[in-house]
Amino acid sequence: MTKRPDDSGADAAPSVAWYNDPTKRGYLFQALTLAAVIVVAWTIVHNTAVNLERRHIAQGFGFLSTTAGFDLAQESISFPKDASYGRALLVGLVNTVIVAVAGIFFATIFGFLVGVGRLSHNFVISRLCTGYVELLRNIPLLLQIFFWYFAVLGVLPSPRQSLQPVPGWVFINNRGLYLPEFHFGSFAGWGIVGGLIVALVVSWAIRRWARARQMETGQQFPAGRVTLGLIVGLPLVLFALSGFDLSLVAPKKSTFNLSGGIQIIPELIALVLALATYTASFIAEVVRAGILAVSHGQTEAARSLGLSHGQNLRLVVIPQAMRVIIPPLTNQYLNLTKNSSLAVAIAYPDLVSVGGIVLNQSGQAIEVIVIWMAIYLGTSVTTAMIMNVYNRRMAIVER
Amino acid sequence: MKTRILAATFGVLMGTTATAALAGTLDDVKNKGFVQCGVSQGLAGFSQPDSAGNWTGLDVDFCRSLASAIFNDPTKVKFTPLSAKERFTALQSGEIDVLSRNTTWTMSRDTKQGKFAGVMYYDGQGFMIRKSLGITSAKQLGGASVCTNTGTTTELNLADWFRTQKLDYKVVSFEKSEEVVKAYDAGRCDVLTTDASGLYAERLKLTKPDEHIVLPEIISKEPLGPMVRQGDDAWFNVVKWTYYALLTAEELGITKANADDTLAKTENPDVKRFLGKDGSFGADIGLTNAWAFQIVKNMGNYGELFEKNVGTTSPLKISRGINALWTKGGLQYAPPVR
């Protein structure tokens, strides 16, 4: 047996040039790579600093505390007159989160419905769902946003001729959707929130107990119905005890717009609709693939054990399909969040749009771009992390 | 827009190309043989491509004047249409040599983003509204939705004005002027606000221009002028004195039509110095001594440019007002060529 040069043996290692020694060569290349990365990074930072200096552009993030002096179309958190650029960016971030969360919520629902629909034995439903997927995922998202914004919401009547689905309370016009504002009395408000929290905790305990009991004795307990009743019932009872202490503030017509109530601006509606329907077409495919990935033998086995169709779906097919679905689903959620930056095209003040305003008003291009990158990286990593935790819980647990 | 900002950022990050541009814009311009001029994406009277794709307007003509001074050829200009948001980055990164895009001269822009070389148009911010709403004064605008451009002084003035008037409003701000007008026309907002000159220009683009009025209030000072990068005095001088040459020509009564004649016959020492018969004023700023003559011969004087693009003979029909020469009660004033 021949000895390798790096084998430590009793014999003296045969003399080999250091550059032929794989270990040392490995170190050399790692050191070179590291040095190259450091040099490139240093060059970028140094050049940036020198060039900014030469152009008399201030550096650093100090500008974030300067007064912004502009207003935003949707101020989801308070944005007072003397608020700073930093606050403006925060408003933008909250607006992005709102779009992302609403978009993910609706996209998931549409996506699951369409994905299951494509597998339906009903010819019309399955073809409709196929058509939906093929149409929506092949049209660029920006065009879909414009479609919703200009073609659908743009043609709504003016505030004076608002549509009123619930006359006097809900208004729809080209300035958005107006809903009444809910003002709960303090007992009613706390009762509902407190009741909900208590109900959730108790429900969780009941489910644990029901599962443990079933494991031990095989007896089932209708945990689903009981907990649902609790979650809905307890807040409702407390609300009733307060004497239904709720006042509604309806939007009122004023000279130009409607005042009072809650306004949901058309830009937000258009963006959420476009993002949700577009991403749903991808989620539908993910869901379909996930369900098809569960072998038919599983269903047959479930049937032969006497499980009903619903139980088969709920206990056998879906849990296994979820394992296939979750990783690509995470991707779609991340895509949706990043795609929400197209808001800039229709005046929705999301992070990119507000950042653009700040960039232009303050002239701090590099800082704003760094903030953009950091925040999008942060939100993407956070979403991915949450989905990873969920994925780990859904993965096969070996017993 | 994102690509452009990113490109600009990489320009700043990498530094090499941009550093070369900083060496001297005038030399660069002479070497490449044309002026790269940043203009708007379409604002009637100021910078707008016509049906044949030729750029026209007051801001465009300023760039052509600049090319005339340098190359004696007004066609040696390339135009870069920029949104309000992109403009300063484009200038700072060296993508354009001069920004002639109805940009308001403010202190922070003049000290941080670049240098203003003069005021081509003294403007002020106004409001446009549908006649059918029956509003006659901006003070009745409480609760209105207002369409505006992002990243402009307009946006800031708007907020300031409504605050001082203690009125509520809702802002709807778009990046491109075109989108602002479209949204206003579609009824997304009640009021359109921008510089008064811009309002008259944008009104022409509406489906029914006659149904809209401009309210009497002017809520801000908006001196609009060409802008260059900081730290390049030679180029700054050329741009600044191109502007003064346009004013001086009008003051001295030299027009596009009579420029040749005046040059041949004049005995006026002011005119002789201006047209390069006396002294070496042009050579001193890195041009030929005939620089001012070239401007007037090719383009005309300030008054001619004003009338042609935005004045009473143009579709905008704006009167000279405070944009008249100081000799006629206006604010346009050039230091002497001496």
Side-chain angles (χ1 to χ4, degrees), chain B residues 51-304:
Chain B
S51 51
N54 297 315
W55 284 89
T56 58
L58 192 61
D59 287 342
V60 165
D61 281 350
F62 178 79
C63 286
R64 296 200 197 283
S65 305
L66 193 57
S68 306
I70 301 167
F71 303 112
N72 192 19
D73 182 353
T75 63
K76 291 196 170 167
V77 191
K78 287 189 181 169
F79 294 99
T80 307
L82 297 167
S83 75
K85 200 167 140 185
E86 297 161 348
R87 56 188 161 177
F88 302 119
T89 319
L91 180 68
Q92 286 163 354
S93 66
E95 192 187 335
I96 54 172
D97 300 314
V98 59
L99 179 68
S100 182
R101 189 206 172 282
N102 53 299
T103 300
T104 305
W105 183 337
T106 66
M107 178 162 169
S108 64
R109 286 175 180 174
D110 198 33
T111 52
K112 276 164 56 190
Q113 317 243 34
K115 278 251 153 273
F116 282 89
V119 181
M120 278 302 279
Y121 188 93
Y122 286 96
D123 209 340
Q125 186 176 337
F127 297 107
M128 180 157 68
I129 192 162
R130 286 181 174 72
K131 271 183 193 166
S132 60
L133 285 166
I135 298 291
T136 52
S137 158
K139 293 185 175 157
Q140 299 165 298
L141 292 179
S145 294
V146 184
C147 277
T148 184
N149 274 83
T150 61
T152 55
T153 51
T154 315
E155 186 181 48
L156 303 177
N157 295 331
L158 179 70
D160 286 351
W161 191 80
F162 273 93
R163 265 160 217 170
T164 47
Q165 298 292 323
K166 298 199 168 38
L167 294 173
D168 261 358
Y169 75 108
K170 295 206 174 83
V171 70
V172 184
S173 46
F174 294 84
E175 199 185 317
K176 292 182 180 170
S177 311
E178 190 190 305
E179 289 164 352
V180 180
V181 177
K182 204 162 138 192
Y184 171 73
D185 209 13
R188 174 66 184 87
C189 34
D190 307 296
V191 181
L192 175 64
T193 182
T194 186
D195 299 340
S197 61
L199 288 180
Y200 289 102
E202 305 291 23
R203 186 160 66 172
L204 302 175
K205 292 187 196 161
L206 299 175
T207 31
K208 288 173 185 162
D210 300 338
E211 292 182 3
H212 304 266
I213 51 162
V214 175
L215 296 176
E217 283 89 350
I218 294 292
I219 63 163
S220 68
K221 292 191 285 188
E222 306 286 340
L224 311 179
M227 195 180 183
V228 296
R229 273 182 293 280
Q230 297 212 330
D232 188 347
D233 287 350
W235 179 242
F236 178 58
N237 286 339
V238 169
V239 176
K240 180 167 66 174
W241 281 93
T242 298
Y243 160 66
Y244 288 146
L246 289 168
L247 296 185
T248 310
E250 186 180 9
E251 196 178 328
L252 296 173
I254 311 168
T255 62
K256 188 175 179 175
N258 73 14
D260 281 324
D261 234 26
T262 317
L263 181 69
K265 290 179 189 156
T266 187
E267 288 307 319
N268 181 336
D270 279 340
V271 177
K272 279 171 124 178
R273 274 194 300 275
F274 180 68
L275 293 179
K277 276 182 140 181
D278 259 1
S280 60
F281 298 100
D284 291 347
I285 58 169
L287 304 175
T288 60
N289 284 336
W291 66 288
F293 172 74
Q294 292 166 9
I295 295 174
V296 186
K297 175 75 191 126
N298 287 309
M299 300 304 301
N301 63 37
Y302 178 79
E304 289 175 280

Side-chain angles (χ1 to χ4, degrees), chain A residues 78-152:
Chain A
S78 77
F79 188 64
K81 292 166 193 174
D82 52 356
S84 62
Y85 285 132
R87 184 84 186 172
L89 288 170
L90 196 62
V91 174
L93 176 60
V94 173
N95 288 343
T96 293
V97 170
I98 290 174
V99 166
V101 170
I104 286 173
F105 177 76
F106 290 114
T108 309
I109 295 176
F110 293 162
F112 272 78
L113 288 179
V114 175
V116 173
R118 260 195 100 168
L119 294 171
S120 166
H121 295 301
N122 184 318
F123 181 81
V124 178
I125 290 181
S126 79
R127 283 310 125 100
L128 266 180
C129 292
T130 308
Y132 174 88
V133 169
E134 292 305 335
L135 184 70
L136 273 278
R137 73 172 175 179
N138 288 314
I139 297 175
L141 178 57
L142 188 62
L143 288 185
Q144 297 193 32
I145 293 177
F146 282 142
F147 168 77
W148 287 107
Y149 188 54
F150 290 112
V152 179

Side-chain angles (χ1 to χ4, degrees), chain A residues 71-346:
Chain A
D71 287 293
L72 298 169
Q74 179 182 301
E75 293 166 359
S76 306
I77 53 172
S78 77
F79 188 64
K81 292 166 193 174
D82 52 356
S84 62
Y85 285 132
R87 184 84 186 172
L89 288 170
L90 196 62
V91 174
L93 176 60
V94 173
N95 288 343
T96 293
V97 170
I98 290 174
V99 166
V101 170
I104 286 173
F105 177 76
F106 290 114
T108 309
I109 295 176
F110 293 162
F112 272 78
L113 288 179
V114 175
V116 173
R118 260 195 100 168
L119 294 171
S120 166
H121 295 301
N122 184 318
F123 181 81
V124 178
I125 290 181
S126 79
R127 283 310 125 100
L128 266 180
C129 292
T130 308
Y132 174 88
V133 169
E134 292 305 335
L135 184 70
L136 273 278
R137 73 172 175 179
N138 288 314
I139 297 175
L141 178 57
L142 188 62
L143 288 185
Q144 297 193 32
I145 293 177
F146 282 142
F147 168 77
W148 287 107
Y149 188 54
F150 290 112
V152 179
L153 301 177
V155 297
L156 288 170
S158 72
R160 290 182 182 192
Q161 282 101 39
S162 299
L163 302 175
Q164 301 188 26
V166 183
W169 294 102
V170 179
F171 297 81
I172 300 173
N173 56 44
N174 60 10
R175 309 284 163 79
L177 171 66
Y178 289 78
L179 302 169
E181 223 171 317
F182 290 71
H183 288 287
F184 289 101
S186 64
F187 177 73
W190 288 112
I192 289 171
V193 174
L196 197 64
I197 293 172
V198 170
L200 283 172
V201 172
V202 173
S203 306
W204 178 73
I206 289 178
R207 275 177 182 263
R208 257 183 91 103
W209 168 79
R211 174 167 291 205
R213 194 177 73 147
Q214 191 184 353
M215 286 285 176
E216 225 166 277
T217 66
Q219 282 176 301
Q220 293 194 349
F221 180 78
R225 260 170 283 167
V226 170
T227 52
L228 186 69
L230 201 61
I231 290 169
V232 176
L234 192 59
L236 209 62
V237 168
L238 286 167
F239 182 44
L241 280 180
S242 77
F244 297 103
D245 186 7
L246 166 71
S247 50
L248 284 176
V249 178
K252 292 252 174 331
K253 285 185 188 181
S254 61
T255 324
F256 298 103
N257 284 309
L258 300 170
S259 59
I262 300 168
Q263 182 199 9
I264 301 173
I265 59 173
E267 289 79 17
L268 173 60
I269 301 173
L271 198 60
V272 168
L273 278 173
L275 284 170
T277 51
Y278 175 75
T279 312
S281 65
F282 291 91
I283 291 180
E285 287 298 89
V286 168
V287 169
R288 189 172 69 105
I291 293 174
L292 288 179
V294 181
S295 101
H296 191 62
Q298 295 283 328
T299 307
E300 287 168 352
R303 289 269 164 81
S304 43
L305 283 173
L307 295 189
S308 71
H309 182 67
Q311 281 176 322
N312 169 35
L313 264 184
R314 196 157 46 86
L315 300 171
V316 177
V317 177
I318 291 178
Q320 295 188 71
M322 284 313 269
R323 261 187 257 131
V324 182
I325 291 172
I326 289 172
L329 190 64
T330 311
N331 259 339
Q332 293 307 326
Y333 288 176
L334 294 181
N335 280 347
L336 188 144
T337 309
K338 286 178 282 181
N339 285 341
S340 72
S341 61
L342 286 169
V344 77
I346 56 164

